[in-house]
Amino acid sequence: MPATDRVKQILANYPSDNPGTLTNLYRLLNTGTLAGTGKMVILPVDQGFEHGPLRSFGPNLDANDPEYHFKLAIESGCNAYAAPLGALEAAAGKFAGQVPLILKLNNSDTLAKIDQPCSAITGSVEDALRLGCVGIGYTIYPGSGQRNVMYQELREITIEAKRKGLAVITWSYPRGAGLSKAGETAVDVCTYAAHIAAQLGAHVIKVKPPTAHVELEESKKVYEKFPTKLETLADRVRHVITNTFHGRRIVIFSGGEAKGTPELLEEVKQIAAGGAFGSIMGRNAFQRPHAEAVKLLTDVMAIFKNAP
Amino acid sequence: MPATDRVKQILANYPSDNPGTLTNLYRLLNTGTLAGTGKMVILPVDQGFEHGPLRSFGPNLDANDPEYHFKLAIESGCNAYAAPLGALEAAAGKFAGQVPLILKLNNSDTLAKIDQPCSAITGSVEDALRLGCVGIGYTIYPGSGQRNVMYQELREITIEAKRKGLAVITWSYPRGAGLSKAGETAVDVCTYAAHIAAQLGAHVIKVKPPTAHVELEESKKVYEKFPTKLETLADRVRHVITNTFHGRRIVIFSGGEAKGTPELLEEVKQIAAGGAFGSIMGRNAFQRPHAEAVKLLTDVMAIFKNAP
Amino acid sequence: MPATDRVKQILANYPSDNPGTLTNLYRLLNTGTLAGTGKMVILPVDQGFEHGPLRSFGPNLDANDPEYHFKLAIESGCNAYAAPLGALEAAAGKFAGQVPLILKLNNSDTLAKIDQPCSAITGSVEDALRLGCVGIGYTIYPGSGQRNVMYQELREITIEAKRKGLAVITWSYPRGAGLSKAGETAVDVCTYAAHIAAQLGAHVIKVKPPTAHVELEESKKVYEKFPTKLETLADRVRHVITNTFHGRRIVIFSGGEAKGTPELLEEVKQIAAGGAFGSIMGRNAFQRPHAEAVKLLTDVMAIFKNAP
Amino acid sequence: MPATDRVKQILANYPSDNPGTLTNLYRLLNTGTLAGTGKMVILPVDQGFEHGPLRSFGPNLDANDPEYHFKLAIESGCNAYAAPLGALEAAAGKFAGQVPLILKLNNSDTLAKIDQPCSAITGSVEDALRLGCVGIGYTIYPGSGQRNVMYQELREITIEAKRKGLAVITWSYPRGAGLSKAGETAVDVCTYAAHIAAQLGAHVIKVKPPTAHVELEESKKVYEKFPTKLETLADRVRHVITNTFHGRRIVIFSGGEAKGTPELLEEVKQIAAGGAFGSIMGRNAFQRPHAEAVKLLTDVMAIFKNAP
Amino acid sequence: MPATDRVKQILANYPSDNPGTLTNLYRLLNTGTLAGTGKMVILPVDQGFEHGPLRSFGPNLDANDPEYHFKLAIESGCNAYAAPLGALEAAAGKFAGQVPLILKLNNSDTLAKIDQPCSAITGSVEDALRLGCVGIGYTIYPGSGQRNVMYQELREITIEAKRKGLAVITWSYPRGAGLSKAGETAVDVCTYAAHIAAQLGAHVIKVKPPTAHVELEESKKVYEKFPTKLETLADRVRHVITNTFHGRRIVIFSGGEAKGTPELLEEVKQIAAGGAFGSIMGRNAFQRPHAEAVKLLTDVMAIFKNAP
């Protein structure tokens, strides 16, 4: 299948990667409903690990079945499905090749109370190869006192993943003693977090939709001196994209907490209008009944398909 | 993309492989015009190495350009393109992801005169990963006094490839002091050669179309005792498939020396009628002018698409 | 399941092996119809590789299917099924755990003409582990000019297998320029060959039923000086067992070329009467129609069950 | 290109380095406008990571584009461009060879609040080789309670970098609970910090322009006992150079916070007059509009070119 | 220094290489008199090893001094200097950075008489890094019965060199029992040899100027069927270039045995007219008195500079 111009343009932003990694980025960009558009919608299901199965799958018990998410991603035409080791292993052999997989290589549970959060490494690049993944996922918590541990683990995973032709997808979630709760999604912090992920060598970066809150004093001064349009979510998304290598890195946005469909679609429209490369949508998809989830993902993809 | 029943059926014949290898087999089976049919047509271009560029590309000088073959495979809808290291490197970064690649890991030139033929290893599994290949290709010469060297090299490559989620495609070409020239394509020898490749752990096996000649005395006795229909090429292809794990391994057939189009298409029809999983067609494709080559490959795929 | 006294007695003959290897020997001895008796019947199917699929499966085309042999071994209550890499991989994932597996680690084809026979290594201990095997099989050709190559390869495989808790089953087939055709099964040569396998560290040794022929001049002198009862096959089997660590190694006998049922059962009775630990029966089983094969294997097991 | 006498003189100060490292030092010294003069101006862009993209690129949004800095360094005739992994990867393949690169191997963000600062390792010597860098950059914080961690990481990176022929460029920034804010740029502390970097094996040392402030009691006593000319910045720069192996190590000075052009050029004149080997100028360059930045860098280079 | 369009065009032919290797190719292409033209003249001095110092340096005893060749290459503006380990080590520290170096990694002496020639590996990629080389050189002898040994050694060196950012320069010299003496430089054999080097992954390929002799029967048939202009050396050079990935690989030509200046310059003119990427000139340079050698190399470069 020849690449579209838009996909060629995006791949040209990774001139130091080997053909193996470019091939897997191509697969991410050329699968499902949004194939070839340069946009992507990814289904991530690590919430069972992160928040526990009750909070995650209580609203839809069927979603406890690892096969459920493979089917949902395939049926709804997602670009990829991302999950921790166990969930992928439980079905990858059965659905081999039907949807690009991303192995979430670190995860954190909420049973222990930790001041300075740091996820555990729960899988390896070797696992990603044997499971047929197109890339690995890794979460960093900029703002945590443990951030150096995470950056350094990611450095080693990244060099191995790139050598073996995999893509690196980084979840960048500001969190930790240095930040207020509102600060975790503040527009300046979110922007900084996306930039850090890019500097650490990520091919795809996932952040939360930024709020209008500004956390850092230094940021306030910058915004005063260089007035920046940040009123709408679309403005703020554009701001993040610009600050992440000027649009040369694929930045996608999560939907955050589960919410009502109209509210959610409105948010996605803003994200798309701001030039985002796509959405990563977990709870908002799998906590709905199956048919509704497929409908929702389809609608989300339609928004990106028609985005500028 | 959900798998077709036929593809699921074929993948079920590899119950000991990890999801990574199954994923790459799926990619082989789900690309191009024949995607999902369980049939495949592969473009192999190692003739420049094996026979020299003059004999290979003299009829069509453009085919000296490594990009030529990527374009031909993509444009004509082939399932995969197979070539040695240099030819893949020269274009893989540019066409990343657009066609499944197979790295031919051993090659032989015809400048040296050798009694017991044995190819040199000219690439590695690590190369296949960094170039984004779905599998590795390796040639064995059953019948050569050097066969143990080849089998043992292949054993090591195979175990590494399978651990890292790649598919193993084995070219099985009987050759060497123990065989007459006619014996190299004799039906009994070809059948034996395909079986050896399967026992060595190949996922996909490539052999030459078997002639009606019977080489070995022991084979003649078996055919006398257990009468076997071997008149037509279709009969003989079916015979090879049956003797290679009873249809549980993907066996594909080469077109051999360049020949006229009607003759070639007739041969492919026989191969398809015999239940072959596909064709691998090099010289007959790239030695023709480009448009003719695309037309030919398209016609070949149509035959397999309509095969039982 | 507590071990029987006989099994305890046999395991006590391997006091230097680690519990892992003893566990796998126990599995071999405690599976199927003969479980706990200290006797075993193994189904070996490497003939497709060794003699080609035509000679091997021509009489029963269904036997081309790798699943066929798993089913035959399970249904007839064999202690184990032994085969090369490809044949095990093609079904091991589907029948996982249902019958002990032995991976034949070296194999030889008959396409090349070689003076000094030497099999190629076609699998590895790592493969045996990932396929869930209880042990590895390896063929040596005492009498071949290449015997040192084989002994040394086996040494390395043995040390790895034992470290990783696998059993070593050695096929010891005298062959090569130093022996007459009759000498290959001569009682003195067969005895010597079994002893070599034991000295190389085998846990289980497979030899052919010895004939009354005496090959070596030195042997004749010994038999003259120390008269030995060698008239019946039972005598000769007892002679082999005694000369192989005085019964402290499991020695089993093959049935050799396919033959008629009464003749075959008579041979087995002699083998059992001679104190053999069991039979290994390939062609005589799988070349018969399925029901006949099950009946034959059942009858063979009954003989060993009732043996002294 | 034969080396100038001055370059030969400088390289002679590194008699224990292998030719690979000398070659890369030569490249640093022989590129751009100042080639051959023994002086250098380096463009460093790690501020996006260190201070966030807003504070860094807010004044000049185009500078978010990783290609921007490659172009700026090339166009203005800098000796080298230094940046973290992500920023180099995003363009190194496109501008390969056009400007010497330095991979900043550790970086720190300002989202987390940390008492004892310590940067995270965010790249490796292996990365520097695959990206074609002439050297690696590493920041130490003498004065931090975590200094030993940094010195020991640097020790390992240094030994690997030198074995593989790379140059080591050390940013030495006194910082941490043991120092007052003014002390971070105090002349005695700055001098001490440069010396520590030299002792740790750096080839090139970057410090901030020292102020007239004296931080440590012990220093005050020394200056009283041995009166030292420290009035002008030129005096203090000379003082640092002398205390860093008596001029046998390349010491360069940063421009610190962004400031007005006349003020900045005056500072550079002082630095040059003090015998510095050059400047490293980031924010003062890339936060200006492009044409102004090129003009500024050109003026800075002119100052060094005409320096004694 | 911004790259010229021609250099960019050439580097684009290596889309699978990392920026490190591209940087070193850039250095090769951007040094000396021919910098930026896409042409190169390399000084190789391995003749002391290959033919002995008497035959090599007898005509000019000064050339025994390893510094002699560094100076000659620098003074005459060569793109690179290539030599074995000892010769490079003897002066690389002194001339570090002044000329790109290529470490010849294998060499053959002529003291032993060998039927099937095979060079010894006399250096390593690690040596090339510590000596500051831009690439490694390796000689293959297509046509030798030992070719597989050479191809396989080169495979391992190539993968390491490319991972560490070095360029691979392959000397391809057909030689061995399978070829007549005239055949070693026959146009068809030379073409085949260049193609093999490209398939093995070389970035730069060095062959001898092809004669009008045609060695292989198969080649004669091809030339008859597809008439090819091979009268002049320029024709034949063009033929080699076309057959080596259609001009996508840098192919340079040696001057062969020492000869008179007018004859030599005429040969170079033909080589340049045929579209060669340059010359590699050893004996013809260093066996002349120094001033003459500089003059000759200058004249050769002028020819390439003015070539189409």
PDB file of all heavy atoms in Angstrom, chain A residues 2-13, chain B residues 94 98:
ATOM      1  N   PRO A   2       0.839   2.057  -1.044  1.00  0.00           N
ATOM      2  CA  PRO A   2       1.699   3.241  -1.052  1.00  0.00           C
ATOM      3  C   PRO A   2       1.279   4.196   0.072  1.00  0.00           C
ATOM      4  O   PRO A   2       0.095   4.279   0.399  1.00  0.00           O
ATOM      5  CB  PRO A   2       1.451   3.870  -2.419  1.00  0.00           C
ATOM      6  CG  PRO A   2       0.469   3.018  -3.129  1.00  0.00           C
ATOM      7  CD  PRO A   2      -0.024   1.960  -2.208  1.00  0.00           C
ATOM      8  N   ALA A   3       2.239   4.899   0.668  1.00  0.00           N
ATOM      9  CA  ALA A   3       1.947   5.831   1.749  1.00  0.00           C
ATOM     10  C   ALA A   3       1.275   7.081   1.200  1.00  0.00           C
ATOM     11  O   ALA A   3       1.564   7.529   0.090  1.00  0.00           O
ATOM     12  CB  ALA A   3       3.239   6.189   2.461  1.00  0.00           C
ATOM     13  N   THR A   4       0.376   7.681   1.981  1.00  0.00           N
ATOM     14  CA  THR A   4      -0.215   8.966   1.588  1.00  0.00           C
ATOM     15  C   THR A   4       0.822  10.059   1.813  1.00  0.00           C
ATOM     16  O   THR A   4       1.787   9.893   2.551  1.00  0.00           O
ATOM     17  CB  THR A   4      -1.453   9.277   2.446  1.00  0.00           C
ATOM     18  OG1 THR A   4      -1.028   9.407   3.812  1.00  0.00           O
ATOM     19  CG2 THR A   4      -2.496   8.175   2.351  1.00  0.00           C
ATOM     20  N   ASP A   5       0.577  11.214   1.205  1.00  0.00           N
ATOM     21  CA  ASP A   5       1.508  12.329   1.372  1.00  0.00           C
ATOM     22  C   ASP A   5       1.628  12.734   2.836  1.00  0.00           C
ATOM     23  O   ASP A   5       2.703  13.058   3.326  1.00  0.00           O
ATOM     24  CB  ASP A   5       1.042  13.533   0.537  1.00  0.00           C
ATOM     25  CG  ASP A   5       1.301  13.296  -0.940  1.00  0.00           C
ATOM     26  OD1 ASP A   5       2.040  12.345  -1.263  1.00  0.00           O
ATOM     27  OD2 ASP A   5       0.753  14.043  -1.765  1.00  0.00           O
ATOM     28  N   ARG A   6       0.492  12.715   3.540  1.00  0.00           N
ATOM     29  CA  ARG A   6       0.506  13.146   4.930  1.00  0.00           C
ATOM     30  C   ARG A   6       1.352  12.183   5.783  1.00  0.00           C
ATOM     31  O   ARG A   6       2.125  12.623   6.633  1.00  0.00           O
ATOM     32  CB  ARG A   6      -0.929  13.206   5.472  1.00  0.00           C
ATOM     33  CG  ARG A   6      -1.038  13.632   6.924  1.00  0.00           C
ATOM     34  CD  ARG A   6      -0.441  15.014   7.178  1.00  0.00           C
ATOM     35  NE  ARG A   6      -0.424  15.332   8.602  1.00  0.00           N
ATOM     36  CZ  ARG A   6       0.553  15.991   9.208  1.00  0.00           C
ATOM     37  NH1 ARG A   6       1.604  16.420   8.527  1.00  0.00           N
ATOM     38  NH2 ARG A   6       0.506  16.230  10.488  1.00  0.00           N
ATOM     39  N   VAL A   7       1.227  10.902   5.514  1.00  0.00           N
ATOM     40  CA  VAL A   7       2.019   9.933   6.285  1.00  0.00           C
ATOM     41  C   VAL A   7       3.502  10.104   5.961  1.00  0.00           C
ATOM     42  O   VAL A   7       4.354  10.081   6.858  1.00  0.00           O
ATOM     43  CB  VAL A   7       1.530   8.493   6.010  1.00  0.00           C
ATOM     44  CG1 VAL A   7       2.518   7.473   6.531  1.00  0.00           C
ATOM     45  CG2 VAL A   7       0.156   8.282   6.663  1.00  0.00           C
ATOM     46  N   LYS A   8       3.805  10.309   4.700  1.00  0.00           N
ATOM     47  CA  LYS A   8       5.215  10.555   4.317  1.00  0.00           C
ATOM     48  C   LYS A   8       5.776  11.763   5.060  1.00  0.00           C
ATOM     49  O   LYS A   8       6.914  11.757   5.538  1.00  0.00           O
ATOM     50  CB  LYS A   8       5.324  10.799   2.813  1.00  0.00           C
ATOM     51  CG  LYS A   8       5.333   9.526   1.984  1.00  0.00           C
ATOM     52  CD  LYS A   8       5.561   9.875   0.501  1.00  0.00           C
ATOM     53  CE  LYS A   8       5.066   8.762  -0.394  1.00  0.00           C
ATOM     54  NZ  LYS A   8       4.904   9.220  -1.782  1.00  0.00           N
ATOM     55  N   GLN A   9       4.957  12.823   5.122  1.00  0.00           N
ATOM     56  CA  GLN A   9       5.347  14.063   5.794  1.00  0.00           C
ATOM     57  C   GLN A   9       5.656  13.808   7.270  1.00  0.00           C
ATOM     58  O   GLN A   9       6.635  14.305   7.814  1.00  0.00           O
ATOM     59  CB  GLN A   9       4.144  14.996   5.717  1.00  0.00           C
ATOM     60  CG  GLN A   9       4.408  16.420   5.408  1.00  0.00           C
ATOM     61  CD  GLN A   9       3.070  17.145   5.216  1.00  0.00           C
ATOM     62  OE1 GLN A   9       2.005  16.660   5.585  1.00  0.00           O
ATOM     63  NE2 GLN A   9       3.153  18.325   4.611  1.00  0.00           N
ATOM     64  N   ILE A  10       4.793  13.032   7.908  1.00  0.00           N
ATOM     65  CA  ILE A  10       4.992  12.744   9.331  1.00  0.00           C
ATOM     66  C   ILE A  10       6.252  11.897   9.522  1.00  0.00           C
ATOM     67  O   ILE A  10       7.087  12.185  10.377  1.00  0.00           O
ATOM     68  CB  ILE A  10       3.754  12.035   9.924  1.00  0.00           C
ATOM     69  CG1 ILE A  10       2.568  13.006   9.923  1.00  0.00           C
ATOM     70  CG2 ILE A  10       4.038  11.538  11.339  1.00  0.00           C
ATOM     71  CD1 ILE A  10       1.254  12.382  10.357  1.00  0.00           C
ATOM     72  N   LEU A  11       6.423  10.844   8.715  1.00  0.00           N
ATOM     73  CA  LEU A  11       7.603   9.983   8.869  1.00  0.00           C
ATOM     74  C   LEU A  11       8.888  10.785   8.639  1.00  0.00           C
ATOM     75  O   LEU A  11       9.927  10.492   9.241  1.00  0.00           O
ATOM     76  CB  LEU A  11       7.531   8.791   7.917  1.00  0.00           C
ATOM     77  CG  LEU A  11       6.401   7.782   8.207  1.00  0.00           C
ATOM     78  CD1 LEU A  11       6.500   6.589   7.253  1.00  0.00           C
ATOM     79  CD2 LEU A  11       6.445   7.274   9.652  1.00  0.00           C
ATOM     80  N   ALA A  12       8.829  11.797   7.776  1.00  0.00           N
ATOM     81  CA  ALA A  12      10.020  12.614   7.517  1.00  0.00           C
ATOM     82  C   ALA A  12      10.463  13.389   8.754  1.00  0.00           C
ATOM     83  O   ALA A  12      11.586  13.906   8.803  1.00  0.00           O
ATOM     84  CB  ALA A  12       9.761  13.569   6.355  1.00  0.00           C
ATOM     85  N   ASN A  13       9.596  13.470   9.760  1.00  0.00           N
ATOM     86  CA  ASN A  13       9.981  14.135  11.012  1.00  0.00           C
ATOM     87  C   ASN A  13      10.840  13.251  11.912  1.00  0.00           C
ATOM     88  O   ASN A  13      11.232  13.664  12.998  1.00  0.00           O
ATOM     89  CB  ASN A  13       8.724  14.561  11.776  1.00  0.00           C
ATOM     90  CG  ASN A  13       8.051  15.743  11.125  1.00  0.00           C
ATOM     91  OD1 ASN A  13       8.715  16.577  10.518  1.00  0.00           O
ATOM     92  ND2 ASN A  13       6.733  15.816  11.223  1.00  0.00           N
TER      93      ASN A  13
ATOM     94  N   LYS B  94      13.031   4.537   2.807  1.00  0.00           N
ATOM     95  CA  LYS B  94      12.164   5.389   1.997  1.00  0.00           C
ATOM     96  C   LYS B  94      10.762   4.801   1.834  1.00  0.00           C
ATOM     97  O   LYS B  94       9.793   5.536   1.736  1.00  0.00           O
ATOM     98  CB  LYS B  94      12.814   5.566   0.622  1.00  0.00           C
ATOM     99  CG  LYS B  94      12.093   6.534  -0.284  1.00  0.00           C
ATOM    100  CD  LYS B  94      12.988   6.997  -1.412  1.00  0.00           C
ATOM    101  CE  LYS B  94      12.229   7.841  -2.435  1.00  0.00           C
ATOM    102  NZ  LYS B  94      13.104   8.188  -3.563  1.00  0.00           N
ATOM    103  N   GLN B  98       5.438   0.031   3.550  1.00  0.00           N
ATOM    104  CA  GLN B  98       4.525  -0.044   2.405  1.00  0.00           C
ATOM    105  C   GLN B  98       4.408  -1.451   1.815  1.00  0.00           C
ATOM    106  O   GLN B  98       3.472  -1.736   1.078  1.00  0.00           O
ATOM    107  CB  GLN B  98       4.944   0.971   1.333  1.00  0.00           C
ATOM    108  CG  GLN B  98       4.909   2.398   1.901  1.00  0.00           C
ATOM    109  CD  GLN B  98       5.196   3.451   0.848  1.00  0.00           C
ATOM    110  OE1 GLN B  98       4.899   3.276  -0.316  1.00  0.00           O
ATOM    111  NE2 GLN B  98       5.788   4.558   1.266  1.00  0.00           N
TER     112      GLN B  98
END
